[in-house]
Amino acid sequence: MVSEQEKIVGSCLFGAATAVIGASLLHLYWKGEPLPLGLGLGLGLPWRRFRQQRKPVRVYMDGCFDMMHYGHCNALRQARALGDQLVVGVVSDEEIIANKGPPVTPLHERMIMVKAVKWVDEVIPDAPYAITEDFMKRLFVEYQIDYIIHGDDPCVLPDGTDAYALAKKAGRYKQIKRTEGVSSTDIVGRMLLCVRERSINDSHNHSSLQRQFSHGHSPKFEDGGYAAATRVTHFLPTSRRIVQFSNGKGPGPDQRIIYIDGAFDLFHAGHVEILRVARELGDFLLVGIHNDQTISAKRGAHRPIMNLHERSLSVLACRYVDEVIIGAPWEVSKDMSHEGTVPEWDAARFRISSRQGRGATRKEVRNSQKRGKVATLSTKGQGHKKGKKDASEKGEG
Ligand code: CTP
């Protein structure tokens, strides 16, 4: 026999469980997230309508994005996943100088790089380094920002205070995981080692280059300790990371595939421009990225600075790129079809050569031209300011 007391307890438990489930569903509904299967079937249409109609969640991430690398791209990818629209504030040159020393790449190049990342919806130039009261108000009112996002590394101002303290206090701060193993400082260090390696091979006077690259970015160099550092990184992405960066779509049956290959070392504004132009020539841009051995053989043992996988992630993050071949051959051959999707494809036909001068020999260009249509594109000197010589004069892709 069930006592009266047990009945009351039972009803209370049932009521509490119903309230919890109801509240959770309401919460999901409010956030516009998918409903559990059974309910989703019944409420599918109104649910979808609601998701389309609700105000998009707008998130803001700021940063210097100096010498943009795949760590920055991964931060932007994670930030975008926390909302529906990502607005990025690119910190002004003056603010960077005041807070951490002069940037290697000026604001207009950093803007090009950030705009080219496929997860970015809007860009605000000349953003402040720290979230001030006024700027936070502007973000909330003018830009309709819901959350301010930064990596989980501390961002401390010269006076020791937290650059995101106000956003945290307002309960509008969210954090993403910083990508290990890459930073602008580390890249400058690698460039210094590259200069040193090159100077061992030829008697090139590298002291002026050292001065250019120093910029207070590389304590290793100033300590004289850089000789002990290693330029070669063993970074290897997991298949999950490659999937996260990929579009996950192949070309459609009638799409015109454009192929462009190159090293894409130290991915910069010139690369972005050439990829944009290449993409405009067709419907699907396939980018071949040469492996490290090929680059070393063609450009010298001191290159590349970023390894094949790092270069591949930077290229994949670019909005103009549909797919990459990781470790593409130097010479495009007839049997190089795109995963069998274009069996008749004469690869050279739609090939764009971004290599010029010392990059590709005249004979190579002539041979490619004989085989089909080759457009030779130039980066028009848009490389990193300090790496300009390597990037554009050599015509490196
Ligand atoms: N970021 C990251 N992983 C990295 C480098 C940066 O997630 N390896 C994130 C930062 O946490 C920040 C955003 O990218 O949210 C922009 O970083 P930025 O202001 O450019 O500066 P740093 O953090 O100093 O990056 P770096 O050291 O590479 O210059």
Side-chain angles (χ1 to χ4, degrees), residues 61-67 69-76 78 91 100 129 149-155 164 176-187 217:
M61 173 174 262
D62 58 8
C64 308
F65 303 102
D66 192 19
M67 311 198 75
H69 51 69
Y70 62 92
H72 292 134
C73 299
N74 197 32
L76 295 170
Q78 292 178 77
V91 177
K100 54 191 263 188
Y129 191 80
I149 297 165
H150 187 259
D152 57 8
D153 51 309
C155 188
Y164 295 90
I176 51 105
K177 200 171 158 6
R178 189 179 164 89
T179 307
E180 299 295 328
V182 65
S183 69
S184 310
T185 310
D186 160 63
I187 294 171
H217 278 268

Side-chain angles (χ1 to χ4, degrees), residues 41-42 124 213 243 263 268 277 311:
L41 291 177
I124 304 176
F213 289 146
V243 168
H268 54 68
V277 173
R311 291 182 282 119

Side-chain angles (χ1 to χ4, degrees), residues 22 90 111 173 186 204 217 225 248 317 369:
V90 182
M111 288 285 291
Y173 178 81
D186 160 63
H204 193 265
H217 278 268
Q369 271 161 344

Side-chain angles (χ1 to χ4, degrees), residues 58-218:
R58 283 169 64 83
V59 295
Y60 173 81
M61 173 174 262
D62 58 8
C64 308
F65 303 102
D66 192 19
M67 311 198 75
M68 188 100 177
H69 51 69
Y70 62 92
H72 292 134
C73 299
N74 197 32
L76 295 170
R77 180 190 67 76
Q78 292 178 77
R80 176 65 172 70
L82 292 175
D84 303 305
Q85 291 166 4
L86 172 62
V87 181
V88 182
V90 182
V91 177
S92 70
D93 293 344
E94 297 71 32
E95 282 276 273
I96 302 178
I97 291 167
N99 287 281
K100 54 191 263 188
V104 176
T105 38
L107 178 71
H108 77 271
E109 279 180 30
R110 293 184 286 113
M111 288 285 291
I112 292 173
M113 298 308 291
V114 172
K115 277 184 193 164
V117 174
K118 63 185 171 192
W119 299 289
V120 175
D121 296 290
E122 280 170 48
V123 181
I124 304 176
D126 285 318
Y129 191 80
I131 302 289
T132 59
E133 192 83 55
D134 281 353
F135 189 69
M136 193 162 76
K137 246 186 233 152
R138 228 183 110 196
L139 287 180
F140 295 160
V141 177
E142 191 181 324
Y143 291 97
Q144 296 284 298
I145 296 299
D146 296 288
Y147 295 105
I148 294 168
I149 297 165
H150 187 259
D152 57 8
D153 51 309
C155 188
V156 186
L157 299 173
D159 66 3
T161 55
D162 180 356
Y164 295 90
L166 289 176
K168 286 176 186 169
K169 207 168 142 205
R172 305 279 282 269
Y173 178 81
K174 284 194 183 187
Q175 210 158 272
I176 51 105
K177 200 171 158 6
R178 189 179 164 89
T179 307
E180 299 295 328
V182 65
S183 69
S184 310
T185 310
D186 160 63
I187 294 171
V188 172
R190 293 192 215 178
M191 288 164 83
L192 286 169
L193 286 165
C194 154
V195 171
R196 194 181 73 110
E197 282 171 28
R198 193 163 84 177
S199 73
I200 290 168
N201 295 331
D202 55 47
S203 57
H204 193 265
N205 175 5
H206 65 277
S207 61
S208 64
L209 284 167
Q210 285 173 352
R211 271 200 301 278
Q212 283 176 29
F213 289 146
S214 287
H215 273 286
H217 278 268
S218 180

